[in-house]
Amino acid sequence: MQALRGTKDILPQESIYWQYIYNKALKILSLYNYLEIRTPVIESVDLFKRSIGEATDILSKEMYTFTDQSNRNIALRPEGTASIARAFINHQLYQKNTQRLWYLGPMFRYERPQSGRQRQFHQLGIECIGSLNPMADAEVINLANRFLQEIQFRSYKIEINSIGSLENRKKYQQDLIKYLIPYEKDLDKDSQKRLNINPLRILDSKNKRTQEILNDAPSLSKYLDTESRQHLWLVCTYLDDLKIKYNVNDRLVRGLDYYNSTAFEFKSNLVGSQNAICGGGRYDQLIRQLGGPDTPAVGWAIGLERLLHIARDELKIKKKGILIYIATQGIKAQKKIWEIIQVLEKQEIRFELDLHNNNFQKQLKRASKSGAKACIILGNDEIENNFISIKRLDQHKQYAINKTNLLEELKKIEKTVEEKDQKTGTID
Ligand code: HAM
Protein backbone atom coordinates (compact mmCIF):
# COMPACT_ATOMS: atom_id res chain seq x y z
CA MET A 1 0.00 0.00 0.00
CA GLN A 2 1.26 3.47 -0.85
CA ALA A 3 0.21 6.92 0.37
CA LEU A 4 -2.23 8.47 -2.11
CA ARG A 5 -0.79 10.57 -4.95
CA GLY A 6 -0.29 14.13 -3.78
CA THR A 7 -0.14 13.18 -0.08
CA LYS A 8 2.93 12.65 2.08
CA ASP A 9 3.93 11.05 5.37
CA ILE A 10 5.78 13.46 7.59
CA LEU A 11 8.37 11.25 9.27
CA PRO A 12 10.07 12.15 12.60
CA GLN A 13 13.20 13.65 10.98
CA GLU A 14 10.84 15.91 9.00
CA SER A 15 8.40 16.73 11.80
CA ILE A 16 11.06 18.69 13.70
CA TYR A 17 10.68 21.35 10.99
CA TRP A 18 6.89 21.39 11.53
CA GLN A 19 7.28 21.73 15.29
CA TYR A 20 9.76 24.55 14.70
CA ILE A 21 7.31 26.37 12.41
CA TYR A 22 4.41 25.88 14.82
CA ASN A 23 6.45 27.24 17.74
CA LYS A 24 7.75 30.24 15.79
CA ALA A 25 4.21 31.05 14.58
CA LEU A 26 2.85 30.77 18.11
CA LYS A 27 5.60 33.05 19.41
CA ILE A 28 5.31 35.86 16.90
CA LEU A 29 1.51 35.77 16.45
CA SER A 30 0.85 35.74 20.21
CA LEU A 31 2.83 38.98 20.48
CA TYR A 32 0.25 40.68 18.25
CA ASN A 33 -2.59 39.01 20.19
CA TYR A 34 -3.56 36.53 17.46
CA LEU A 35 -5.19 33.48 19.07
CA GLU A 36 -5.22 29.99 17.64
CA ILE A 37 -8.46 28.60 16.22
CA ARG A 38 -9.07 25.01 15.07
CA THR A 39 -12.02 24.29 12.82
CA PRO A 40 -13.17 20.92 11.40
CA VAL A 41 -11.53 19.46 8.32
CA ILE A 42 -14.93 18.60 6.86
CA GLU A 43 -17.55 21.25 6.04
CA SER A 44 -20.66 21.41 3.92
CA VAL A 45 -19.89 21.89 0.19
CA ASP A 46 -22.30 24.80 0.27
CA LEU A 47 -19.99 26.84 2.48
CA PHE A 48 -17.30 26.85 -0.20
CA LYS A 49 -19.75 27.44 -3.04
CA ARG A 50 -20.98 30.55 -1.28
CA SER A 51 -17.52 31.87 -0.37
CA ILE A 52 -14.80 30.76 -2.78
CA GLY A 53 -17.26 30.88 -5.70
CA GLU A 54 -18.48 28.30 -8.22
CA ALA A 55 -16.52 29.74 -11.17
CA THR A 56 -13.14 29.30 -9.47
CA ASP A 57 -10.70 26.45 -10.18
CA ILE A 58 -11.12 25.21 -6.62
CA LEU A 59 -14.88 24.73 -6.90
CA SER A 60 -14.99 23.62 -10.50
CA LYS A 61 -12.30 20.93 -10.41
CA GLU A 62 -10.28 20.70 -7.22
CA MET A 63 -12.70 19.91 -4.40
CA TYR A 64 -12.67 16.60 -2.58
CA THR A 65 -16.36 15.95 -1.95
CA PHE A 66 -18.53 13.04 -0.87
CA THR A 67 -22.05 12.33 0.27
CA ASP A 68 -22.24 11.06 3.82
CA GLN A 69 -24.58 8.42 5.26
CA SER A 70 -27.25 11.09 5.83
CA ASN A 71 -27.02 12.26 2.24
CA ARG A 72 -25.26 15.51 3.14
CA ASN A 73 -22.85 17.03 0.64
CA ILE A 74 -19.51 17.22 2.42
CA ALA A 75 -16.15 18.64 1.35
CA LEU A 76 -12.65 18.29 2.69
CA ARG A 77 -11.78 21.96 3.23
CA PRO A 78 -9.68 23.44 0.41
CA GLU A 79 -8.70 26.46 2.55
CA GLY A 80 -9.33 27.95 6.00
CA THR A 81 -10.91 31.39 5.57
CA ALA A 82 -14.45 30.21 4.77
CA SER A 83 -14.52 27.91 7.83
CA ILE A 84 -13.30 30.72 10.07
CA ALA A 85 -15.97 33.08 8.72
CA ARG A 86 -18.55 30.35 9.43
CA ALA A 87 -17.22 29.82 12.97
CA PHE A 88 -17.16 33.59 13.51
CA ILE A 89 -20.88 33.73 12.69
CA ASN A 90 -21.85 30.49 14.51
CA HIS A 91 -20.20 31.60 17.76
CA GLN A 92 -21.23 35.25 17.41
CA LEU A 93 -17.64 36.36 17.76
CA TYR A 94 -18.76 39.72 16.35
CA GLN A 95 -20.06 40.59 19.80
CA LYS A 96 -16.46 40.90 20.93
CA ASN A 97 -13.67 43.22 19.92
CA THR A 98 -11.67 42.77 16.67
CA GLN A 99 -10.99 39.07 16.29
CA ARG A 100 -7.41 38.17 15.57
CA LEU A 101 -7.19 34.48 14.75
CA TRP A 102 -4.54 32.10 13.42
CA TYR A 103 -4.59 28.50 12.29
CA LEU A 104 -2.36 25.74 11.02
CA GLY A 105 -3.80 22.62 9.45
CA PRO A 106 -4.30 20.39 6.42
CA MET A 107 -6.20 21.57 3.34
CA PHE A 108 -7.20 19.51 0.30
CA ARG A 109 -7.22 20.36 -3.38
CA TYR A 110 -7.27 17.92 -6.28
CA GLU A 111 -4.43 19.52 -8.22
CA ARG A 112 -1.68 18.00 -10.36
CA PRO A 113 1.02 17.21 -7.82
CA GLN A 114 4.53 18.61 -8.32
CA SER A 115 7.25 19.86 -6.02
CA GLY A 116 5.64 22.35 -3.65
CA ARG A 117 2.14 21.39 -4.79
CA GLN A 118 0.21 18.60 -3.14
CA ARG A 119 -3.34 17.36 -2.82
CA GLN A 120 -3.15 17.39 0.95
CA PHE A 121 -1.07 20.37 2.03
CA HIS A 122 -0.86 22.53 5.13
CA GLN A 123 -1.53 26.21 5.54
CA LEU A 124 -0.50 28.55 8.29
CA GLY A 125 -2.94 31.45 8.17
CA ILE A 126 -4.18 34.48 10.04
CA GLU A 127 -7.45 36.41 9.85
CA CYS A 128 -7.96 39.88 11.31
CA ILE A 129 -11.73 40.29 11.48
CA GLY A 130 -13.69 43.45 12.23
CA SER A 131 -11.69 46.37 10.88
CA LEU A 132 -11.75 48.40 7.68
CA ASN A 133 -8.68 50.32 8.74
CA PRO A 134 -5.72 50.03 6.31
CA MET A 135 -3.61 49.56 9.45
CA ALA A 136 -5.15 46.07 9.66
CA ASP A 137 -3.84 45.27 6.17
CA ALA A 138 -0.41 46.58 7.16
CA GLU A 139 -0.49 44.55 10.38
CA VAL A 140 -1.21 41.27 8.60
CA ILE A 141 1.35 41.87 5.84
CA ASN A 142 3.89 42.84 8.47
CA LEU A 143 3.16 39.60 10.34
CA ALA A 144 3.73 37.39 7.29
CA ASN A 145 6.99 39.24 6.77
CA ARG A 146 7.96 38.95 10.44
CA PHE A 147 7.17 35.24 10.50
CA LEU A 148 9.34 34.58 7.45
CA GLN A 149 12.15 36.64 8.98
CA GLU A 150 11.79 34.77 12.26
CA ILE A 151 12.44 31.47 10.50
CA GLN A 152 15.33 33.18 8.70
CA PHE A 153 13.83 32.91 5.23
CA ARG A 154 14.63 35.91 3.09
CA SER A 155 14.42 34.91 -0.56
CA TYR A 156 11.04 36.37 -1.46
CA LYS A 157 9.39 39.51 -2.75
CA ILE A 158 6.05 41.02 -1.85
CA GLU A 159 3.50 42.05 -4.46
CA ILE A 160 0.45 44.09 -3.64
CA ASN A 161 -2.53 45.39 -5.57
CA SER A 162 -6.05 46.61 -5.13
CA ILE A 163 -8.80 44.74 -6.93
CA GLY A 164 -11.32 47.39 -5.90
CA SER A 165 -15.00 46.85 -5.17
CA LEU A 166 -17.33 44.36 -6.83
CA GLU A 167 -18.75 47.18 -8.99
CA ASN A 168 -15.25 48.30 -10.06
CA ARG A 169 -14.42 44.74 -11.05
CA LYS A 170 -17.68 44.19 -12.95
CA LYS A 171 -17.03 47.21 -15.12
CA TYR A 172 -13.40 46.22 -15.62
CA GLN A 173 -14.35 42.65 -16.44
CA GLN A 174 -16.70 43.79 -19.22
CA ASP A 175 -14.01 45.96 -20.80
CA LEU A 176 -11.36 43.24 -20.43
CA ILE A 177 -13.58 40.70 -22.22
CA LYS A 178 -14.29 43.24 -24.96
CA TYR A 179 -10.55 43.78 -25.40
CA LEU A 180 -9.65 40.08 -25.37
CA ILE A 181 -12.34 38.67 -27.68
CA PRO A 182 -10.50 39.59 -30.93
CA TYR A 183 -7.43 37.71 -29.56
CA GLU A 184 -9.38 34.71 -28.30
CA LYS A 185 -7.62 32.17 -30.55
CA ASP A 186 -4.17 33.47 -29.56
CA LEU A 187 -4.75 33.03 -25.84
CA ASP A 188 -3.51 29.90 -24.03
CA LYS A 189 -6.04 27.10 -23.52
CA ASP A 190 -6.76 27.90 -19.85
CA SER A 191 -7.28 31.58 -20.61
CA GLN A 192 -9.66 30.73 -23.46
CA LYS A 193 -11.75 28.74 -20.98
CA ARG A 194 -11.61 31.56 -18.45
CA LEU A 195 -12.64 34.26 -20.88
CA ASN A 196 -16.31 33.88 -20.13
CA ILE A 197 -16.22 32.20 -16.73
CA ASN A 198 -13.54 34.04 -14.76
CA PRO A 199 -11.78 36.56 -17.06
CA LEU A 200 -9.80 38.29 -14.29
CA ARG A 201 -7.76 35.15 -13.76
CA ILE A 202 -6.37 35.56 -17.28
CA LEU A 203 -4.21 38.36 -15.84
CA ASP A 204 -2.49 35.63 -13.83
CA SER A 205 -1.56 33.55 -16.88
CA LYS A 206 2.09 32.59 -17.13
CA ASN A 207 1.83 32.10 -20.90
CA LYS A 208 4.15 34.47 -22.79
CA ARG A 209 1.80 35.18 -25.69
CA THR A 210 -1.14 35.82 -23.35
CA GLN A 211 1.00 38.21 -21.32
CA GLU A 212 2.01 40.03 -24.53
CA ILE A 213 -1.65 40.44 -25.47
CA LEU A 214 -2.36 41.76 -21.99
CA ASN A 215 0.30 44.48 -22.35
CA ASP A 216 -2.21 46.69 -24.15
CA ALA A 217 -5.28 45.56 -22.21
CA PRO A 218 -7.17 48.02 -20.01
CA SER A 219 -5.56 48.35 -16.60
CA LEU A 220 -7.51 47.42 -13.46
CA SER A 221 -6.01 50.36 -11.57
CA LYS A 222 -7.88 52.80 -13.82
CA TYR A 223 -11.20 51.31 -12.70
CA LEU A 224 -10.70 51.67 -8.97
CA ASP A 225 -12.93 54.03 -7.02
CA THR A 226 -11.38 56.72 -4.81
CA GLU A 227 -11.92 54.69 -1.65
CA SER A 228 -9.99 51.68 -2.97
CA ARG A 229 -7.20 53.88 -4.29
CA GLN A 230 -6.84 55.66 -0.99
CA HIS A 231 -6.93 52.44 0.92
CA LEU A 232 -4.10 50.98 -1.16
CA TRP A 233 -2.13 54.20 -0.85
CA LEU A 234 -2.40 54.13 2.94
CA VAL A 235 -1.45 50.45 3.16
CA CYS A 236 1.62 51.18 1.04
CA THR A 237 2.49 54.18 3.20
CA TYR A 238 2.39 52.02 6.34
CA LEU A 239 4.54 49.38 4.67
CA ASP A 240 7.04 52.12 3.83
CA ASP A 241 7.00 53.19 7.48
CA LEU A 242 7.61 49.56 8.46
CA LYS A 243 10.50 49.51 5.95
CA ILE A 244 8.94 46.57 4.16
CA LYS A 245 9.83 46.36 0.48
CA TYR A 246 7.03 45.56 -1.99
CA ASN A 247 6.00 46.06 -5.61
CA VAL A 248 2.58 47.20 -6.71
CA ASN A 249 1.58 44.69 -9.39
CA ASP A 250 -1.42 45.86 -11.34
CA ARG A 251 -2.02 42.34 -12.69
CA LEU A 252 -2.15 40.61 -9.33
CA VAL A 253 -5.57 39.01 -8.84
CA ARG A 254 -6.50 36.20 -6.48
CA GLY A 255 -8.04 32.83 -7.31
CA LEU A 256 -10.90 33.02 -4.79
CA ASP A 257 -14.05 35.11 -5.29
CA TYR A 258 -14.43 36.57 -1.82
CA TYR A 259 -11.70 39.19 -2.12
CA ASN A 260 -12.04 42.95 -2.58
CA SER A 261 -9.69 45.92 -2.21
CA THR A 262 -6.21 44.81 -1.04
CA ALA A 263 -4.71 41.65 -2.56
CA PHE A 264 -1.14 40.54 -1.97
CA GLU A 265 1.25 37.67 -2.50
CA PHE A 266 4.68 36.73 -1.22
CA LYS A 267 6.61 35.10 -4.03
CA SER A 268 9.81 33.19 -3.66
CA ASN A 269 12.54 34.10 -6.09
CA LEU A 270 14.10 30.65 -5.74
CA VAL A 271 11.69 28.38 -7.64
CA GLY A 272 9.86 28.36 -10.95
CA SER A 273 6.11 28.02 -11.29
CA GLN A 274 5.13 27.17 -7.68
CA ASN A 275 6.52 30.39 -6.28
CA ALA A 276 3.54 31.76 -4.34
CA ILE A 277 4.33 30.99 -0.73
CA CYS A 278 1.77 33.31 0.83
CA GLY A 279 -1.46 34.74 -0.52
CA GLY A 280 -4.07 36.94 1.04
CA GLY A 281 -6.13 40.07 1.02
CA ARG A 282 -9.34 41.75 2.17
CA TYR A 283 -12.71 40.04 2.17
CA ASP A 284 -15.10 42.67 3.49
CA GLN A 285 -18.28 41.05 2.16
CA LEU A 286 -17.71 37.39 2.99
CA ILE A 287 -19.18 37.34 6.47
CA ARG A 288 -22.35 39.12 5.38
CA GLN A 289 -22.57 36.85 2.36
CA LEU A 290 -22.58 33.84 4.70
CA GLY A 291 -25.40 35.27 6.83
CA GLY A 292 -23.44 37.24 9.43
CA PRO A 293 -23.39 40.98 10.10
CA ASP A 294 -21.46 43.34 7.86
CA THR A 295 -17.90 42.66 9.02
CA PRO A 296 -14.75 43.59 7.11
CA ALA A 297 -11.70 41.33 7.35
CA VAL A 298 -8.21 40.75 6.01
CA GLY A 299 -5.84 37.79 6.21
CA TRP A 300 -3.39 35.46 4.51
CA ALA A 301 -2.25 31.87 4.30
CA ILE A 302 1.21 30.43 3.77
CA GLY A 303 1.62 27.03 2.08
CA LEU A 304 3.93 25.21 4.45
CA GLU A 305 5.03 22.37 2.13
CA ARG A 306 5.93 25.01 -0.40
CA LEU A 307 7.77 27.07 2.19
CA LEU A 308 9.65 24.05 3.56
CA HIS A 309 10.50 22.83 0.09
CA ILE A 310 12.20 26.15 -0.61
CA ALA A 311 13.40 27.21 2.82
CA ARG A 312 14.38 23.96 4.53
CA ASP A 313 18.07 24.35 3.90
CA GLU A 314 17.98 27.90 5.24
CA LEU A 315 16.37 26.86 8.52
CA LYS A 316 18.93 26.41 11.27
CA ILE A 317 17.44 23.82 13.57
CA LYS A 318 19.30 21.91 16.19
CA LYS A 319 18.27 18.28 15.98
CA LYS A 320 17.87 17.22 19.59
CA GLY A 321 19.19 13.73 20.25
CA ILE A 322 19.13 11.67 23.41
CA LEU A 323 21.70 12.27 26.13
CA ILE A 324 21.51 8.96 27.98
CA TYR A 325 21.05 5.35 26.89
CA ILE A 326 20.01 2.79 29.49
CA ALA A 327 21.19 -0.81 29.38
CA THR A 328 19.91 -3.36 31.89
CA GLN A 329 20.23 -7.05 32.53
CA GLY A 330 18.34 -9.34 34.90
CA ILE A 331 14.98 -8.92 36.57
CA LYS A 332 16.41 -7.26 39.69
CA ALA A 333 18.05 -4.49 37.64
CA GLN A 334 14.98 -4.14 35.48
CA LYS A 335 12.84 -3.62 38.57
CA LYS A 336 15.27 -1.05 39.96
CA ILE A 337 15.67 0.95 36.74
CA TRP A 338 12.32 2.79 37.09
CA GLU A 339 13.70 4.69 40.06
CA ILE A 340 16.61 5.89 37.92
CA ILE A 341 14.25 6.83 35.08
CA GLN A 342 12.35 9.08 37.47
CA VAL A 343 15.56 10.96 38.24
CA LEU A 344 16.19 11.46 34.50
CA GLU A 345 12.64 12.66 33.97
CA LYS A 346 12.87 15.12 36.86
CA GLN A 347 16.08 16.56 35.42
CA GLU A 348 14.38 16.70 31.95
CA ILE A 349 17.03 14.56 30.36
CA ARG A 350 16.27 12.85 27.05
CA PHE A 351 16.96 9.14 27.26
CA GLU A 352 16.21 5.80 25.68
CA LEU A 353 15.67 2.53 27.50
CA ASP A 354 16.98 -0.53 25.68
CA LEU A 355 14.11 -3.00 25.28
CA HIS A 356 15.90 -5.80 23.44
CA ASN A 357 16.84 -7.75 26.52
CA ASN A 358 20.11 -9.15 25.15
CA ASN A 359 23.70 -9.04 26.42
CA PHE A 360 25.44 -5.81 27.46
CA GLN A 361 27.83 -5.89 24.51
CA LYS A 362 24.95 -5.68 22.05
CA GLN A 363 23.14 -3.09 24.14
CA LEU A 364 26.28 -0.93 24.24
CA LYS A 365 26.66 -1.18 20.49
CA ARG A 366 23.13 0.17 20.14
CA ALA A 367 23.94 2.85 22.72
CA SER A 368 26.87 4.03 20.56
CA LYS A 369 24.69 4.12 17.46
CA SER A 370 21.92 6.03 19.26
CA GLY A 371 24.01 9.20 19.49
CA ALA A 372 23.71 9.27 23.31
CA LYS A 373 26.63 10.79 25.19
CA ALA A 374 26.56 8.28 28.04
CA CYS A 375 25.10 4.91 28.91
CA ILE A 376 23.76 3.93 32.31
CA ILE A 377 24.50 0.25 32.91
CA LEU A 378 22.60 -1.71 35.51
CA GLY A 379 23.16 -5.47 35.85
CA ASN A 380 23.49 -8.09 38.58
CA ASP A 381 26.91 -6.85 39.67
CA GLU A 382 25.64 -3.27 40.08
CA ILE A 383 22.58 -4.39 42.03
CA GLU A 384 24.52 -6.67 44.39
CA ASN A 385 27.18 -4.03 45.12
CA ASN A 386 24.82 -1.09 45.09
CA PHE A 387 26.44 1.09 42.40
CA ILE A 388 25.68 2.33 38.88
CA SER A 389 28.06 1.95 35.93
CA ILE A 390 28.40 4.88 33.57
CA LYS A 391 29.99 4.50 30.15
CA ARG A 392 30.86 7.83 28.54
CA LEU A 393 30.25 7.13 24.88
CA ASP A 394 31.81 10.45 23.85
CA GLN A 395 34.99 9.87 25.86
CA HIS A 396 35.34 6.08 25.72
CA LYS A 397 35.67 5.54 29.44
CA GLN A 398 33.65 3.60 32.00
CA TYR A 399 33.39 4.15 35.74
CA ALA A 400 31.20 3.36 38.72
CA ILE A 401 29.23 5.89 40.76
CA ASN A 402 27.29 5.69 43.96
CA LYS A 403 23.51 5.65 43.42
CA THR A 404 23.16 8.79 45.52
CA ASN A 405 25.51 10.68 43.18
CA LEU A 406 23.44 10.02 40.06
CA LEU A 407 21.88 13.47 39.81
CA GLU A 408 25.22 15.18 40.20
CA GLU A 409 26.79 12.91 37.57
CA LEU A 410 23.95 13.64 35.12
CA LYS A 411 24.42 17.38 35.57
CA LYS A 412 28.13 16.93 34.87
CA ILE A 413 27.42 15.08 31.62
CA GLU A 414 24.89 17.73 30.58
CA LYS A 415 27.42 20.48 31.22
CA THR A 416 30.22 18.97 29.14
CA VAL A 417 27.77 18.53 26.22
CA GLU A 418 26.55 22.14 26.54
CA GLU A 419 30.14 23.41 26.56
CA LYS A 420 30.90 21.41 23.42
CA ASP A 421 27.76 22.83 21.72
CA GLN A 422 28.85 26.35 22.62
CA LYS A 423 32.29 25.75 21.11
CA THR A 424 30.82 24.46 17.84
CA GLY A 425 28.20 27.24 17.78
CA THR A 426 25.18 24.91 17.60
CA ILE A 427 21.94 26.73 18.44
CA ASP A 428 18.41 25.65 19.37
P1 HAM B 1 -4.52 30.62 -1.64
O1 HAM B 1 -3.72 31.59 -2.44
O2 HAM B 1 -5.47 29.74 -2.37
O3 HAM B 1 -5.28 31.47 -0.54
O4 HAM B 1 -3.53 29.71 -0.82
C1 HAM B 1 -2.56 30.27 0.03
C2 HAM B 1 -1.25 29.53 -0.10
O5 HAM B 1 -1.46 28.13 0.09
C3 HAM B 1 -0.62 29.60 -1.50
O6 HAM B 1 0.11 30.79 -1.66
C4 HAM B 1 0.29 28.39 -1.48
O7 HAM B 1 1.50 28.69 -0.82
C5 HAM B 1 -0.49 27.40 -0.64
N1 HAM B 1 -1.14 26.38 -1.49
C6 HAM B 1 -2.27 26.49 -2.19
N2 HAM B 1 -2.53 25.36 -2.87
C7 HAM B 1 -1.53 24.49 -2.58
C8 HAM B 1 -1.21 23.14 -2.96
N3 HAM B 1 -1.99 22.43 -3.75
N4 HAM B 1 -0.07 22.58 -2.46
C9 HAM B 1 0.74 23.29 -1.63
N5 HAM B 1 0.49 24.55 -1.24
C10 HAM B 1 -0.62 25.15 -1.70
C11 HAM B 1 -6.09 30.93 0.42
O8 HAM B 1 -6.21 29.75 0.62
C12 HAM B 1 -6.77 31.97 1.28
N6 HAM B 1 -7.64 31.29 2.24
C13 HAM B 1 -5.75 32.85 1.99
C14 HAM B 1 -6.40 33.89 2.83
C15 HAM B 1 -6.55 33.89 4.15
N7 HAM B 1 -6.95 34.99 2.39
C16 HAM B 1 -7.45 35.68 3.39
N8 HAM B 1 -7.22 34.99 4.48
Side-chain angles (χ1 to χ4, degrees), residues 269-283:
N269 27 33
L270 295 179
V271 274
S273 56
Q274 295 311 303
N275 62 354
I277 40 178
C278 172
R282 274 210 163 263
Y283 49 97

Side-chain angles (χ1 to χ4, degrees), residues 56-92:
T56 58
D57 284 352
I58 298 182
L59 257 288
S60 61
K61 54 183 188 199
E62 294 170 0
M63 288 266 280
Y64 275 93
T65 57
F66 63 95
T67 321
D68 76 1
Q69 285 81 342
S70 306
N71 237 3
R72 280 179 290 236
N73 250 344
I74 309 286
L76 297 184
R77 62 178 183 194
E79 59 106 48
T81 310
S83 302
I84 289 175
R86 179 202 47 68
F88 178 86
I89 300 165
N90 289 168
H91 301 282
Q92 302 182 352

Side-chain angles (χ1 to χ4, degrees), residues 357-412:
N357 231 353
N358 43 22
N359 65 38
F360 272 136
Q361 214 183 354
K362 282 191 177 157
Q363 293 193 53
L364 281 169
K365 248 191 195 158
R366 270 196 297 277
S368 292
K369 272 196 190 153
S370 74
K373 302 293 180 249
C375 184
I376 290 179
I377 301 168
L378 205 67
N380 293 335
D381 200 18
E382 282 82 5
I383 293 292
E384 270 159 37
N385 299 301
N386 208 22
F387 71 94
I388 297 171
S389 293
I390 304 281
K391 185 171 169 76
R392 285 299 293 258
L393 299 159
D394 54 347
Q395 297 170 0
H396 306 288
K397 62 179 185 189
Q398 185 169 329
Y399 47 88
I401 60 159
N402 195 305
K403 226 176 66 188
T404 49
N405 293 338
L406 178 63
L407 188 60
E408 215 171 288
E409 181 63 26
L410 290 171
K411 284 182 184 163
K412 221 169 19 186

Side-chain angles (χ1 to χ4, degrees), residues 294-308:
D294 223 348
T295 315
V298 56
W300 50 254
I302 294 177
L304 293 180
E305 276 80 3
R306 207 164 284 184
L307 178 66
L308 280 176

Side-chain angles (χ1 to χ4, degrees), residues 45-318:
V45 172
D46 222 32
L47 171 67
F48 301 114
K49 276 191 189 161
R50 287 172 55 186
S51 52
I52 297 171
E54 299 208 49
T56 58
D57 284 352
I58 298 182
L59 257 288
S60 61
K61 54 183 188 199
E62 294 170 0
M63 288 266 280
Y64 275 93
T65 57
F66 63 95
T67 321
D68 76 1
Q69 285 81 342
S70 306
N71 237 3
R72 280 179 290 236
N73 250 344
I74 309 286
L76 297 184
R77 62 178 183 194
E79 59 106 48
T81 310
S83 302
I84 289 175
R86 179 202 47 68
F88 178 86
I89 300 165
N90 289 168
H91 301 282
Q92 302 182 352
L93 299 181
Y94 41 83
Q95 289 178 348
K96 298 183 187 125
N97 208 354
T98 309
Q99 290 289 309
R100 289 179 163 91
L101 303 166
W102 74 274
Y103 56 94
L104 191 162
M107 310 292 160
F108 305 84
R109 295 183 194 176
Y110 191 83
E111 291 193 86
R112 197 168 52 79
Q114 50 181 259
S115 68
R117 188 162 81 191
Q118 289 180 207
R119 290 182 174 164
Q120 176 176 336
F121 60 99
H122 293 75
Q123 283 184 344
L124 163 69
I126 73 170
E127 313 293 353
C128 176
I129 310 178
S131 171
L132 258 181
N133 194 330
M135 285 171 85
D137 310 43
E139 177 176 291
V140 298
I141 295 173
N142 180 39
L143 270 173
N145 194 51
R146 284 289 303 111
F147 169 74
L148 293 172
Q149 278 176 354
E150 186 73 25
I151 64 164
Q152 292 160 53
F153 180 60
R154 291 174 211 290
S155 318
Y156 61 89
K157 51 185 192 298
I158 303 173
E159 290 189 350
I160 184 167
N161 192 21
S162 175
I163 57 166
S165 67
L166 196 62
E167 295 73 45
N168 300 161
R169 272 197 313 285
K170 256 193 198 147
K171 177 87 189 56
Y172 175 66
Q173 216 153 288
Q174 284 165 0
D175 289 359
L176 183 66
I177 295 176
K178 235 187 260 165
Y179 169 82
L180 286 174
I181 280 180
Y183 300 101
E184 189 170 353
K185 287 207 178 78
D186 297 331
L187 296 174
D188 60 278
K189 286 248 149 54
D190 274 344
S191 299
Q192 285 178 10
K193 274 189 230 154
R194 284 173 171 155
L195 190 56
N196 291 309
I197 314 167
N198 203 353
L200 261 130
R201 293 286 287 162
I202 297 176
L203 299 181
D204 239 8
S205 166
K206 299 213 165 72
N207 182 278
K208 250 194 170 156
R209 178 70 189 120
T210 304
Q211 281 296 334
E212 274 169 21
I213 296 169
L214 287 169
N215 280 340
D216 294 319
S219 158
L220 176 56
S221 60
K222 304 256 158 54
Y223 290 71
L224 299 182
D225 52 35
T226 322
E227 214 182 314
S228 303
R229 266 171 225 258
Q230 255 217 314
H231 192 95
L232 179 65
W233 181 79
L234 268 172
V235 176
C236 290
T237 306
Y238 297 144
L239 294 182
D240 293 337
D241 293 335
L242 281 158
K243 308 222 166 5
I244 293 175
K245 290 204 178 88
Y246 58 87
N247 287 318
V248 177
N249 174 2
D250 185 30
R251 290 195 191 161
L252 176 74
V253 285
R254 305 271 301 128
L256 304 94
D257 277 359
Y258 50 63
Y259 290 111
N260 68 290
S261 187
T262 315
F264 56 87
E265 269 176 8
F266 286 50
K267 290 179 178 164
S268 150
N269 27 33
L270 295 179
V271 274
S273 56
Q274 295 311 303
N275 62 354
I277 40 178
C278 172
R282 274 210 163 263
Y283 49 97
D284 297 331
Q285 273 85 46
L286 177 63
I287 289 167
R288 198 193 48 212
Q289 227 165 281
L290 293 175
D294 223 348
T295 315
V298 56
W300 50 254
I302 294 177
L304 293 180
E305 276 80 3
R306 207 164 284 184
L307 178 66
L308 280 176
H309 178 72
I310 307 164
R312 218 187 110 134
D313 297 340
E314 291 184 40
L315 302 185
K316 292 188 186 76
I317 301 180
K318 180 180 167 189

